[in-house]
């Protein structure tokens, strides 16, 4: 069975960064393992792009990030509070360049690659969706919805 080890290690690293007082880095890691957002797009994210717990940000091709049902991705309340506590007087969340975040993460976990968190998230949710579809015996539950006339 697939173990989701990267997400567990990312969560552990996020907790370590919170203990050290590095909220900005912890928020980035939390955002990357809870959503399938690319690192580059996460760094451009603003607090105004997050409404409640839903992220409304456009992806690489202009379409907003949404799950298979068309709903925006959601983050936990704890991550939302952490994001709100970063740079309180500004709408921007992340102020550093991508290299500094990657180097700091590699310093504490040499084998965790931040870009791999996106792939693990997608695989995890696609596998969950396929397992659910198999449980109820639905052939068209995964992928595009059936067209009705």
């Amino acid at each position: 069975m697939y173990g989701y080890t990267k997400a567990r290690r990312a969560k552990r690293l996020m907790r370590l960064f919170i203990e050290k007082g590095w909220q900005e880095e912890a928020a980035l890691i939390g955002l990357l393992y809870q959503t399938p957002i690319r690192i580059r797009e996460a760094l451009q994210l603003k607090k105004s792009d997050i409404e409640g717990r839903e992220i409304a940000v456009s992806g690489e091709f202009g379409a907003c990030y949404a799950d298979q049902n068309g709903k925006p991705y959601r983050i936990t309340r704890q991550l939302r509070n952490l994001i709100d506590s970063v740079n309180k007087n500004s709408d921007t969340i992340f102020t550093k360049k991508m290299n500094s975040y990657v180097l700091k993460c590699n310093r504490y976990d040499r084998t965790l690659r931040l870009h791999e968190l996106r792939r693990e998230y997608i695989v995890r949710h696609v596998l969950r969706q396929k397992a659910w579809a198999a449980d109820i015996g639905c052939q068209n539950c995964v992928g595009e919805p059936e067209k009705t006339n």
Side-chain angles (χ1 to χ4, degrees), residues 44-63:
Q44 296 171 354
L45 192 68
K46 299 193 180 316
K47 291 179 185 176
S48 58
D49 294 332
I50 304 173
E51 293 182 21
R53 293 173 46 203
E54 295 179 349
I55 296 179
V57 63
S58 295
E60 187 175 85
F61 302 106

Side-chain angles (χ1 to χ4, degrees), residues 52-119:
R53 293 173 46 203
E54 295 179 349
I55 296 179
V57 63
S58 295
E60 187 175 85
F61 302 106
C64 284
Y65 276 105
D67 63 8
Q68 292 176 340
N69 300 324
K71 296 179 183 176
Y73 287 105
R74 296 180 62 134
I75 57 175
T76 61
R77 285 187 205 101
Q78 292 85 0
L79 180 59
R80 174 60 198 210
N81 292 337
L82 181 64
I83 288 172
D84 286 339
S85 70
V86 173
N87 302 327
K88 289 189 178 189
N89 298 332
S90 176
D91 191 38
T92 61
I93 303 169
F94 306 108
T95 58
K96 302 173 189 167
K97 294 190 179 206
M98 182 172 55
N99 241 6
S100 65
Y101 296 111
V102 170
L103 288 174
K104 191 172 277 190
C105 291
N106 288 343
R107 189 179 316 149
Y108 289 94
D109 190 342
R110 293 194 186 280
T111 59
L112 180 67
R113 302 289 177 249
L114 294 178
H115 66 275
E116 292 175 354
L117 294 173
R118 179 174 192 265
R119 179 187 306 170

